[in-house]
Amino acid sequence: GYHTQTLYECHECGREFQSQNGLEQHRQTHVARTTECPLCGQPKKFRSMTNMVQHIETGHCDGCQGRENARNAIYNKVSQMAPNFVTSTPMLEYGGYGAAQAPATNGYRCPHCPNRYFNDASQLLQHTAAKHPSAANNLYLGY
């Protein structure tokens, strides 16, 4: 039989998408780039603190002199600004885990979800914004 495809429309520009996820990803293009990197001083701006932290964590920030220094800088900043979001042992080397359920080597934790740990601050920021939007402002890093 005949069935219609549900389309999701962007209220900003009228583009249509076949999935809610596609629309949500597209909507990011309408978010202003207002967040600056505090370390490299480049004129590049980011749509969110999460995007800026990703820029630093990946080692693309010239102000950090390398990926390991960048990851240490982020971990130290989170430890200072939001100590309940870190574990005592940061995972500063990528071990192929992604977001994990065991705290042994993960440097970040969600204080709202039991046993939810992350290798990267950006993963924690994304999780907090998606799962705990009212608490997302509690993870302000002062950037």
Side-chain angles (χ1 to χ4, degrees):
Y2 176 80
H3 58 86
T4 60
Q5 172 83 27
T6 301
L7 294 178
Y8 299 86
E9 183 178 342
C10 175
H11 297 292
E12 298 269 340
C13 66
R15 277 189 67 188
E16 294 180 338
F17 298 86
Q18 294 181 3
S19 70
Q20 181 70 35
N21 187 47
L23 172 61
E24 292 302 319
Q25 288 180 350
H26 163 76
R27 290 181 65 202
Q28 288 298 309
T29 65
H30 297 297
V31 175
R33 293 177 180 261
T34 58
T35 305
E36 296 181 12
C37 177
L39 301 176
C40 67
Q42 294 179 2
K44 182 174 185 167
K45 292 187 179 183
F46 303 91
R47 290 187 174 102
S48 68
M49 186 167 50
T50 300
N51 293 146
M52 183 269 297
V53 169
Q54 287 171 328
H55 156 78
I56 295 171
E57 284 176 335
T58 59
H60 289 107
C61 176
D62 293 337
C64 293
Q65 291 108 27
R67 186 170 188 259
E68 202 60 34
N69 285 338
R71 293 173 67 77
N72 278 317
I74 293 291
Y75 183 81
N76 290 337
K77 189 68 164 179
V78 175
S79 296
Q80 174 190 359
M81 300 298 290
N84 59 325
F85 286 88
V86 297
T87 64
S88 59
T89 308
M91 179 173 184
L92 299 174
E93 299 274 333
Y94 178 66
Y97 299 106
Q101 298 295 323
T105 58
N106 300 81
Y108 304 96
R109 71 180 191 89
C110 176
H112 309 288
C113 297
N115 301 316
R116 188 72 167 137
Y117 300 88
F118 303 90
N119 295 330
D120 297 316
S122 57
Q123 292 172 332
L124 173 61
L125 288 165
Q126 287 174 332
H127 166 82
T128 304
K131 302 296 183 188
H132 316 289
S134 63
N137 290 335
N138 295 336
L139 189 51
Y140 175 70
L141 299 182
Y143 286 136

